[in-house]
C-alpha cells in the first residue's frame, strides 16, 4: 500500500465483514448482503451524504463479484467513456463473463443524454450499474434508470461506527500502525462526533493531526483534544441549499412552528442559516405559517411576520438571524387555527369543480346609468343603516346557499 495515499483510501474495507455501519442495508439478514454474497447483484443506486460509505461499498462489491469491474466518475467522463466500457464488456477476450459492473460516482452529474446512453445496456443485462449520488435520485436520475435499479438509501454514519473506524486506522498496517501515537478514547470520540457522520472527514482530520504533530522526547506523537480540534474542518450540518436536505430542513422548520415547538423551530432555522439559506426565503415561510397555521387564532402574527420579512430585507445578515428567531418563536408559541386556510381551499375547489350559480342581483354593482333598470343593485340593504351594523340578506348564489367555508374553531376568540 502506498502510504502517500490518503488514510481514508488506505483503510477502506476489503470485504463485507470489514464494512462498518449501514446495518439496515448490509446486515447479514438483509437483502443486499445476501445478494452480494450470492453474486446475484442487480443494478443499484447508492444514495447518501458524503463520507457514508457509497464508494467503499462499491469497492467491496468489486472484490466480491466475479464480473469485470469498471469505475467512472461522472465529473470527468462522457458518452465516449461509457461506450468504451460497454465495448470491453462485450469483448469475449477481455471479459469472458460477458457482463460488467459499471460503477459511476456522482451519477447525478451525468446529463440526460449520458444517462440515456446507459439504458439499453442496463436493460439487456450487459451492464450492472452501480451509481453513487449525494442528491435525491428521484429528482436527479433518469426515471427509466431508477425503474431498472434498486435504490439504496445510506445514512450518515453513527458516532460509534466512526469511532470503530478510527480505532482500526490506528492499528491497521495500511493505516497509522507504523507511527507511535498516543491518543485518548475521549479524543477519538470527539473526532467522531465533530465529523458529522462523515467518516472521510474524521480520517482526514486524524491523519492531519498525526502528520503535523512533532514527536515528544520519548518519540511519541501525542494527539490532544486541542490538536484534534485544530486538524478538523469546522463541523457543518449536512445541508445543501439547492438539494434534498434543503427540502427536508424547510419542511422540519415549518412543521416545528405548526407543532408549537419553539426550540425545534429555532434549531432548524439555525441549521438553514448555517448552511447558507437565503434569510428572505426563510422570512417568507414564516409569513406563510402566520396565515396558514396561526390564522384567526392570532391575526397579529401575520402583521409581525410581515414586519419581520421587511426588517430582514433591510438589515441583512448576520443581524437578520435575531429578527427571524423572534418571528419563528412568536409563530411557534401562538395559538393555532387553520380555519381560514381550510375555507379558501374548500371555496377554490367548489369554484373550480362545481356549477356555483350566479351572483345575486341585489349585491351586484350598477356603475353605469341604466343598469339599475335591469335589476343591478336593486333591493340591496346597506348594513350600516341597521342596528349593530348588520342586516340579514343573501350574499351567496342561490346554488350555494347554506354552504359553510369558514368554520370557527376553539382557538378563535
Amino acid at each position: 500500500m502506498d502510504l502517500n495515499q490518503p488514510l481514508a483510501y488506505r483503510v477502506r474495507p476489503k470485504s463485507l465483514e470489514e464494512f462498518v455501519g449501514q446495518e439496515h442495508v448490509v446486515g447479514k439478514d438483509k437483502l443486499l448482503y445476501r445478494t452480494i454474497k450470492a453474486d446475484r447483484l442487480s443494478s443499484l443506486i447508492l444514495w447518501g451524504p458524503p463520507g457514508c460509505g457509497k464508494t467503499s461499498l462499491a469497492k467491496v462489491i468489486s472484490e466480491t463479484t466475479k464480473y469485470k469491474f469498471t469505475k467512472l466518475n461522472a465529473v470527468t467522463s462522457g458518452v465516449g467513456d461509457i461506450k468504451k466500457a460497454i465495448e470491453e464488456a462485450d469483448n469475449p477476450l477481455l471479459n469472458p463473463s460477458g457482463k460488467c459492473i459499471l460503477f459511476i460516482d456522482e451519477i447525478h452529474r451525468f446529463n440526460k443524454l449520458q444517462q440515456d446512453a446507459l439504458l439499453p445496456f442496463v436493460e439487456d443485462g450487459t451492464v450492472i450499474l452501480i451509481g453513487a449520488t449525494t442528491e435525491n435520485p428521484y429528482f436527479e436520475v433518469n426515471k427509466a434508470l431508477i425503474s431498472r435499479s434498486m435504490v439504496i438509501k445510506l445514512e450518515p454514519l453513527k458516532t460509534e461506527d466512526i469511532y470503530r473506524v478510527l480505532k482500526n486506522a490506528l492499528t491497521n498496517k495500511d493505516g497509522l500502525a507504523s507511527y507511535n501515537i498516543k491518543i485518548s478514547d475521549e479524543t477519538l470520540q470527539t473526532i467522531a462526533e465533530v465529523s458529522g457522520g462523515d467518516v472521510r472527514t474524521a480520517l482526514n482530520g486524524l491523519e492531519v493531526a498525526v502528520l503535523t504533530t512533532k514527536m515528544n522526547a520519548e518519540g511519541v506523537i501525542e494527539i490532544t483534544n486541542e490538536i484534534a480540534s485544530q486538524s478538523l474542518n469546522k463541523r457543518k450540518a449536512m445541508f445543501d441549499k439547492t438539494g434534498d436536505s434543503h427540502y427536508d430542513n424547510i419542511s422540519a422548520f415549518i412543521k416545528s412552528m405548526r407543532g408549537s415547538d419553539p426550540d425545534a423551530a429555532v434549531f432548524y432555522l439555525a441549521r438553514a442559516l448555517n448552511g447558507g439559506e437565503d434569510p428572505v426565503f426563510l422570512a417568507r415561510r414564516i409569513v406563510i405559517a402566520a396565515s396558514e397555521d396561526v390564522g384567526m387564532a392570532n391575526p397579529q402574527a401575520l402583521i409581525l411576520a410581515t414586519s419581520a420579512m421587511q426588517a430582514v430585507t433591510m438589515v441583512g445578515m448576520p443581524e437578520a438571524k435575531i429578527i427571524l428567531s423572534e418571528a419563528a418563536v412568536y409563530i411557534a408559541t401562538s395559538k393555532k387555527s387553520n380555519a381560514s386556510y381550510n375555507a379558501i381551499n374548500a371555496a377554490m375547489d367548489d369554484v373550480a369543480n362545481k356549477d356555483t350559480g350566479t351572483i345575486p342581483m341585489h349585491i351586484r354593482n350598477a356603475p353605469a346609468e341604466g343598469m339599475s333598470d335591469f335589476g343591478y343593485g336593486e333591493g340591496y340593504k346597506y348594513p350600516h343603516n341597521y342596528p349593530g351594523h348588520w342586516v340579514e340578506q343573501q350574499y351567496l348564489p342561490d346554488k350555494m346557499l347554506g354552504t359553510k367555508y369558514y368554520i370557527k374553531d376553539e382557538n378563535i376568540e
Side-chain angles (χ1 to χ4, degrees):
M1 177 68 69
D2 182 0
L3 294 181
N4 289 319
Q5 292 175 324
L7 178 61
Y9 180 86
R10 302 199 311 266
V11 298
R12 271 182 180 163
K14 297 177 178 61
S15 68
L16 276 175
E17 287 69 29
E18 293 181 12
F19 192 86
V20 176
Q22 310 300 345
E23 291 292 327
H24 65 292
V25 294
V26 292
K28 288 192 176 180
D29 60 337
K30 303 301 180 183
L31 176 62
L32 186 57
Y33 178 92
R34 299 199 309 269
T35 302
I36 294 170
K37 280 294 186 181
D39 205 5
R40 303 292 296 175
L41 199 67
S42 60
S43 291
L44 300 174
I45 302 292
L46 303 177
W47 166 30
C52 70
K54 299 184 295 295
T55 304
S56 292
L57 184 54
K59 184 67 175 173
V60 164
I61 293 171
S62 75
E63 297 289 341
T64 306
T65 183
K66 64 186 178 184
Y67 298 133
K68 177 180 173 62
F69 187 89
T70 302
K71 179 181 176 181
L72 298 178
N73 190 301
V75 177
T76 57
S77 303
V79 173
D81 299 290
I82 296 172
K83 289 181 177 178
K84 182 181 177 182
I86 302 301
E87 288 170 2
E88 291 180 359
D90 273 340
N91 189 322
L93 293 176
L94 297 175
N95 185 27
S97 70
K99 286 191 175 184
C100 167
I101 290 182
L102 181 60
F103 174 62
I104 301 179
D105 203 9
E106 308 277 0
I107 192 171
H108 60 276
R109 293 184 181 271
F110 266 172
N111 60 35
K112 186 177 184 301
L113 177 64
Q114 291 166 316
Q115 292 185 28
D116 284 346
L118 290 165
L119 271 176
F121 307 105
V122 172
E123 180 74 44
D124 66 16
T126 301
V127 164
I128 297 171
L129 172 68
I130 301 179
T133 177
T134 56
E135 301 293 331
N136 188 329
Y138 295 102
F139 294 158
E140 304 293 340
V141 178
N142 188 314
K143 287 182 173 57
L145 277 180
I146 289 286
S147 69
R148 291 161 175 79
S149 306
M150 184 190 305
V151 177
I152 304 293
K153 192 172 190 307
L154 304 183
E155 302 296 339
L157 287 183
K158 298 175 184 175
T159 298
E160 54 267 32
D161 291 331
I162 296 178
Y163 173 82
R164 284 173 56 198
V165 173
L166 292 173
K167 288 286 280 186
N168 171 66
L170 291 171
T171 57
N172 191 315
K173 65 180 179 62
D174 293 327
L176 301 171
S178 59
Y179 296 89
N180 190 4
I181 301 168
K182 181 181 179 182
I183 184 169
S184 69
D185 286 345
E186 179 189 354
T187 300
L188 282 177
Q189 186 76 15
T190 299
I191 294 173
E193 289 175 356
V194 173
S195 64
D198 185 336
V199 71
R200 189 182 299 109
T201 293
L203 288 168
N204 288 346
L206 177 61
E207 186 175 32
V208 168
V210 170
L211 296 180
T212 58
T213 302
K214 293 181 179 180
M215 290 186 292
N216 60 23
E218 289 77 33
V220 175
I221 298 173
E222 185 171 359
I223 308 299
T224 63
N225 272 342
E226 183 181 0
I227 292 171
S229 176
Q230 292 171 351
S231 302
L232 282 162
N233 290 326
K234 183 181 177 184
R235 179 174 182 166
K236 277 270 190 180
M238 282 178 302
F239 189 92
D240 176 0
K241 61 183 178 179
T242 62
D244 193 48
S245 57
H246 157 82
Y247 298 102
D248 291 343
N249 196 80
I250 200 63
S251 174
F253 176 53
I254 293 165
K255 287 169 183 170
S256 297
M257 289 190 292
R258 181 181 298 148
S260 301
D261 189 331
D263 300 305
V266 169
F267 169 75
Y268 291 113
L269 172 63
R271 199 170 183 269
L273 292 171
N274 185 56
E277 188 67 86
D278 178 7
V280 178
F281 168 78
L282 294 167
R284 287 200 300 268
R285 301 312 307 182
I286 295 173
V287 171
I288 294 167
S291 185
E292 178 180 342
D293 297 308
V294 176
M296 293 301 294
N298 181 9
Q300 183 70 23
L302 182 56
I303 299 171
L304 185 141
T306 303
S307 296
M309 184 173 66
Q310 291 173 339
V312 165
T313 303
M314 291 186 293
V315 172
M317 289 293 286
E319 291 83 359
K321 69 179 185 289
I322 308 166
I323 301 164
L324 290 168
S325 178
E326 179 184 351
V329 168
Y330 188 87
I331 299 303
T333 55
S334 287
K335 286 184 177 181
K336 304 294 189 298
S337 171
N338 66 345
S340 299
Y341 171 77
N342 290 337
I344 188 60
N345 283 343
M348 292 288 287
D349 185 64
D350 279 353
V351 168
N353 299 299
K354 287 183 179 179
D355 177 4
T356 53
T358 58
I359 298 171
M361 293 299 294
H362 64 280
I363 59 171
R364 296 193 193 188
N365 196 22
E369 187 178 353
M371 289 183 66
S372 57
D373 295 340
F374 293 92
Y376 283 79
E378 184 179 346
Y380 173 64
K381 299 174 184 176
Y382 187 59
H384 298 293
N385 290 338
Y386 295 84
H389 300 263
W390 179 87
V391 62
E392 184 172 353
Q393 65 182 323
Q394 179 181 336
Y395 294 98
L396 282 170
D398 290 342
K399 289 189 176 182
M400 301 303 291
L401 281 176
T403 303
K404 295 290 183 184
Y405 294 119
Y406 176 65
I407 301 173
K408 192 173 179 179
D409 59 45
E410 67 278 3
N411 273 350
I412 300 175
E413 295 180 0

